[in-house]
Amino acid sequence: MATVGFLEDENLEAIITRIEHKSRKIESLLKQSKPVEALKTALEGSLLKTKDERCKSANWIVVHRAIMAIKDVDAMFSSLDPEYYDILMKYLYRGLATGDRPTCDQCLKIHEKLTEKAGLGCILRSLADTINTV
Amino acid sequence: MAAVAIHQFAQCITCHAWSPDQSMVAFCPNNHEVHIYKLFGEKWERVHVLQKHDQIVSGIDWSVRSNKIVTVSHDRNSYVWNQEASEWVPTLVILRLNRAALCVQWSPKENKFAVGSGAKTVCICYYEKENNWWVSKLIRKKHNSSVTSVAWHPNNILLATTSTDGKCRVFSTFIKGVDSRESGASSSSNLKFGEQIAQLDLSFTWAFGVRWSPSGNTLAYAGHNSMIYFIEDVGSSPSAQNVALRDLPLRDILFVSEKLVIGVGFDCNPMVFTADETGLWSFVKFLDEKKIAPSSSKYGSQFSEAFGKLYGQSKPAINSDTVESSRPRGGAHENCISCIVPLRKPGDTIVRRFSTSGLDGKVVIWELDNSI
């Protein structure tokens, strides 16, 4: 899936449509038991510069689906490229903020391994950046 | 290479500077004074106390050729100290600030100095011989927040600043009568005072510690999001490199040579960055070799106990033996390093020695050997 450029004047409807398209792709990947691919697809093209809450929520739902489908966290990290670490960390914090028990359990599990892999700098980048938020 | 000398001077040091012959060090022990210590054999003794400021001294710089100390403080004032006989005599510099002064640096020719402040302004001060006082000219525009650090380009005219609005800017500080219009200067068309040459919007977080490389070709600064940015050819066509750090952010950096940078910050351990032949910058290693505890914690940091508790909550059956208790780090510095200063031998093009000071009140001298 091609990475989307950050076009500020892009139609919000177009963004929502694209997220729906992503969602269908992720469902099919999960049926094929490819949770890591699904997570990568979900994280790709996350529009960090959009201020619109609907788009962020829509993308979060998709990412959340992929995160909850991960069963083997260690295997996931062996095939996840480091370029996804920062954005994954931001979504993990969004997950932890929901307060929902299964979500928090899963996010905490992944957070532990991600911190080991990426270091504290990854956490810093997700906390300090108030402009590119998920 | 490692720390060659560690001195505990105070409980906490905000900034420090060395005398031209490097026999004396001036620092602020987190109060409104500046203490000057001199090395007598093996012992450091306090020889002077400069008491003029009313609040914390946030910046000190000691000029090499003219042997003048400039201090700036949260009390919005700056003093230039001249050594007369055995006393240091202060001269007040009216900066015309309504907020704290945060950082100061002498220009390469030592005829000007720049002060960054919380008033979103930068003061460029120069000496007026006729009136025997220091005049301050303000760059009022452009900054949206506090100016955290300033750095002079080797040409004595360009000044780079970093701010808590996340941007790094380069200004011209040309002052008629003080600076001479050199023929062949590439930025001769932008020589108006206060003119912004470039604005770098790479970090979305507070920016600190901007420095130019010795030739003035490369600019580097640290972002509070654990990144360090390297920019080439700022004047013409800037090309930036973002290097993400694994650990905590940096507060100050130093160009040892064109291709070697040392960064210091919240990891309490200087980090080495080099550029390879293609000009690509990357992190090499930490300078301080720390003792590794035999039962090394998984996270290897002071947060191991906190992380253990955090992750332990989701697994109620976890054995509490696996939680590592927090212990002293075992390195030269025990707290954040906030300031790094080169110790140049006259005639040296690259820096072999430098010193760091931090919130733990220590000044540590480091020496680089040829393995870097």
Side-chain angles (χ1 to χ4, degrees):
Chain A
M1 188 167 176
T3 30
V4 178
F6 298 144
L7 307 161
E8 285 96 356
D9 52 354
E10 188 164 7
N11 198 327
L12 289 174
E13 296 306 321
I15 299 176
I16 303 269
T17 318
R18 208 180 349 209
I19 296 176
E20 280 169 13
H21 181 83
K22 236 187 350 181
S23 173
R24 285 194 288 275
K25 188 149 190 259
I26 284 165
E27 291 300 331
S28 80
L29 281 170
L30 288 175
K31 283 203 185 71
Q32 299 166 42
S33 302
K34 287 194 190 147
V36 188
E37 279 301 314
L39 185 60
K40 276 194 213 174
T41 312
L43 293 174
E44 256 169 4
S46 303
L47 285 151
L48 297 170
K49 292 232 166 41
T50 325
K51 302 261 193 296
D52 185 63
E53 263 313 306
R54 273 187 317 150
C55 295
K56 289 192 193 290
S57 301
N59 209 43
W60 160 241
I61 292 169
V62 168
V63 173
H64 179 243
R65 175 95 182 84
I67 286 179
M68 295 309 286
I70 304 270
K71 295 284 176 283
D72 189 347
V73 182
D74 291 309
M76 173 188 86
F77 276 110
S78 56
S79 47
L80 191 67
D81 303 315
E83 57 180 278
Y84 291 107
Y85 288 172
D86 281 355
I87 176 96
L88 175 60
M89 184 60 87
K90 291 189 183 178
Y91 277 113
L92 288 180
Y93 274 101
R94 180 151 182 172
L96 290 172
T98 59
D100 170 54
R101 190 60 202 250
T103 312
C104 287
D105 277 349
Q106 178 76 336
C107 286
L108 203 56
K109 239 185 3 181
I110 304 179
H111 185 282
E112 180 177 10
K113 292 285 182 311
L114 182 58
T115 311
E116 250 180 77
K117 281 247 153 191
L120 297 172
C122 186
I123 298 181
L124 251 299
R125 275 185 288 283
S126 67
L127 288 178
D129 196 344
T130 49
I131 305 211
N132 302 323
T133 54
V134 296
Chain B
M1 78 298 328
V4 294
I6 303 178
H7 309 292
Q8 179 85 48
F9 283 118
Q11 281 226 313
C12 174
I13 293 181
T14 54
C15 51
H16 75 287
W18 291 88
S19 63
D21 58 1
Q22 295 167 19
S23 65
M24 297 193 276
V25 63
F27 61 86
C28 170
N30 205 34
N31 59 16
H32 51 267
E33 300 172 342
V34 173
H35 293 191
I36 301 184
Y37 276 68
K38 195 179 170 99
L39 188 62
F40 290 101
E42 287 293 310
K43 268 197 72 191
W44 285 92
E45 278 176 34
R46 191 166 69 189
V47 290
H48 296 112
V49 174
L50 310 179
Q51 283 169 314
K52 257 310 194 167
H53 286 291
D54 301 318
Q55 280 175 30
I56 283 187
V57 179
S58 46
I60 304 177
D61 202 8
W62 202 323
S63 64
V64 171
R65 285 183 296 273
S66 45
N67 195 36
K68 290 203 221 293
I69 301 179
V70 61
T71 59
V72 293
S73 157
H74 287 185
D75 65 3
R76 302 166 282 136
N77 282 332
S78 163
Y79 287 94
V80 174
W81 303 79
N82 287 293
Q83 190 165 29
E84 285 166 26
S86 63
E87 289 294 308
W88 285 92
V89 178
T91 311
L92 175 67
V93 179
I94 300 179
L95 297 173
R96 297 181 283 145
L97 289 178
N98 57 7
R99 292 289 184 276
L102 300 174
C103 53
V104 65
Q105 200 183 56
W106 282 108
S107 72
K109 289 208 180 103
E110 295 170 11
N111 53 359
K112 299 188 281 191
F113 61 88
V115 180
S117 78
K120 312 183 202 171
T121 58
V122 178
C123 315
I124 310 293
C125 304
Y126 61 95
Y127 188 64
E128 237 182 37
K129 263 206 277 283
E130 302 88 54
N131 297 321
N132 191 27
W133 72 337
W134 292 84
V135 179
S136 147
K137 270 188 94 145
L138 294 162
I139 301 179
R140 280 187 211 276
K141 297 196 198 143
K142 301 296 181 188
H143 291 105
N144 290 324
S145 190
S146 304
V147 179
T148 53
S149 91
V150 290
W152 287 94
H153 187 280
N155 70 7
N156 209 61
I157 295 185
L158 293 179
L159 182 79
T161 66
T162 48
S163 166
T164 47
D165 66 5
K167 303 192 193 1
C168 173
R169 299 175 174 85
V170 180
F171 293 93
S172 160
T173 63
F174 182 84
I175 299 177
K176 226 169 102 175
V178 179
D179 296 306
S180 53
R181 218 174 271 271
E182 278 158 46
S183 57
S186 54
S187 54
S188 46
S189 54
N190 286 333
L191 282 183
K192 194 162 150 251
F193 179 87
E195 182 117 359
Q196 182 179 279
I197 311 288
Q199 177 173 293
L200 304 161
D201 202 357
L202 301 167
S203 172
F204 299 105
T205 60
W206 292 3
F208 294 99
V210 65
R211 290 286 176 266
W212 295 90
S213 68
S215 68
N217 263 341
T218 315
L219 187 63
Y221 68 98
H224 208 55
N225 53 349
S226 289
M227 303 267 287
I228 181 168
Y229 303 96
F230 296 95
I231 305 103
E232 316 264 337
D233 293 325
V234 177
S236 43
S237 50
S239 65
Q241 278 178 55
N242 305 0
V243 177
L245 305 177
R246 204 192 138 77
D247 295 298
L248 300 175
L250 301 174
R251 284 304 301 275
D252 203 0
I253 64 177
L254 174 70
F255 267 92
V256 166
S257 69
E258 278 303 308
K259 300 246 179 247
L260 189 63
V261 163
I262 310 279
V264 291
F266 292 94
D267 281 311
C268 318
N269 199 341
M271 303 172 88
V272 182
F273 299 89
T274 51
D276 61 14
E277 310 81 43
T278 62
L280 198 68
W281 288 90
S282 60
F283 168 68
V284 176
K285 62 179 193 143
F286 282 103
L287 261 194
D288 208 0
E289 291 107 23
K290 288 193 282 213
K291 308 177 262 295
I292 315 279
S295 55
S296 53
S297 89
K298 278 202 287 184
Y299 312 103
S301 77
Q302 68 211 53
F303 303 108
S304 52
E305 182 181 328
F307 272 139
K309 289 208 175 94
L310 176 70
Y311 298 129
Q313 272 169 13
S314 67
K315 304 168 208 164
I318 202 164
N319 201 335
S320 59
D321 286 344
T322 57
V323 172
E324 182 93 354
S325 57
S326 48
R327 62 198 190 288
R329 318 200 86 226
H333 274 290
E334 284 157 0
N335 207 330
C336 171
I337 306 176
S338 53
C339 184
I340 180 169
V341 173
L343 289 166
R344 261 190 205 90
K345 283 203 185 58
D348 261 359
T349 40
I350 51 170
V351 174
R352 276 263 93 96
R353 279 157 62 98
F354 57 89
S355 66
T356 55
S357 73
L359 304 185
D360 54 0
K362 290 188 184 164
V363 172
V364 180
I365 301 178
W366 305 80
E367 190 150 337
L368 295 174
D369 61 26
N370 293 322
S371 68
I372 297 234

